[in-house]
Amino acid sequence: MGEKVTMVAVLEVDKEKLAESGGSFEDEMGWIEQSGIRMLEYQEQKGEYEYASFLWSRSRGRYEQVNRAVQTEQLCRNRLQEYISKGWLNEDYDTSKAVFKRRTITMFVSEWEELS
């Protein structure tokens, strides 16, 4: 038997196209198993996000994250205002050029393995 590798993949599924085809997600993924790739489990993404603020760096010529990511957009905006008002940011940052970004949070948890 060959070497096994565990991989995490993110799939975007067009539910309308899937419904039009008359198939199910499991049916459509079946062809992958024929080539030796077995889907152990899947979980639909629930759309959880984290937010961070970015300011323009004059010396580097790009936006840079200036504080750690938080769970709500409002908290992110409030934290940036606090950083600016208290002078906690490097003078290199142009505080008039702020960008707020979000990203999806996904956590993969495997099954427990017993230790000997």
Side-chain angles (χ1 to χ4, degrees):
M1 187 174 228
E3 178 185 358
K4 291 185 179 181
V5 177
T6 300
M7 301 177 81
V8 176
V10 177
L11 305 173
E12 185 176 84
V13 178
D14 185 328
K15 288 184 176 183
E16 288 180 17
K17 264 190 180 174
L18 191 59
E20 288 172 7
S21 74
S24 69
F25 179 74
E26 293 81 0
D27 292 340
E28 295 297 321
M29 296 300 290
W31 64 269
I32 292 178
E33 195 163 336
Q34 294 174 7
S35 61
I37 300 171
R38 188 168 61 100
M39 182 172 60
L40 299 176
E41 67 178 80
Y42 71 92
Q43 181 178 21
E44 189 172 331
Q45 178 60 41
K46 302 216 181 347
E48 295 178 25
Y49 299 105
E50 67 179 4
Y51 301 83
S53 54
F54 294 73
L55 291 176
W56 184 257
S57 168
R58 293 180 185 100
S59 64
R60 292 184 184 93
R62 65 177 185 225
Y63 282 96
E64 294 184 344
Q65 185 175 341
V66 294
N67 54 9
R68 69 180 181 86
V70 294
Q71 300 304 305
T72 67
E73 180 182 354
Q74 189 61 55
L75 179 56
C76 179
R77 291 178 182 276
N78 292 348
R79 287 247 173 105
L80 179 60
Q81 279 307 120
E82 181 183 23
Y83 277 49
I84 292 171
S85 67
K86 294 189 176 183
W88 292 346
L89 297 169
N90 184 315
E91 291 180 10
D92 180 52
Y93 292 121
D94 183 345
T95 57
S96 70
K97 293 183 178 179
V99 174
F100 299 93
K101 297 183 182 185
R102 75 176 183 192
R103 64 182 175 188
T104 304
I105 301 170
T106 303
M107 182 170 63
F108 173 76
V109 179
S110 65
E111 293 293 321
W112 287 100
E113 286 184 33
E114 188 172 330
L115 302 174
S116 56

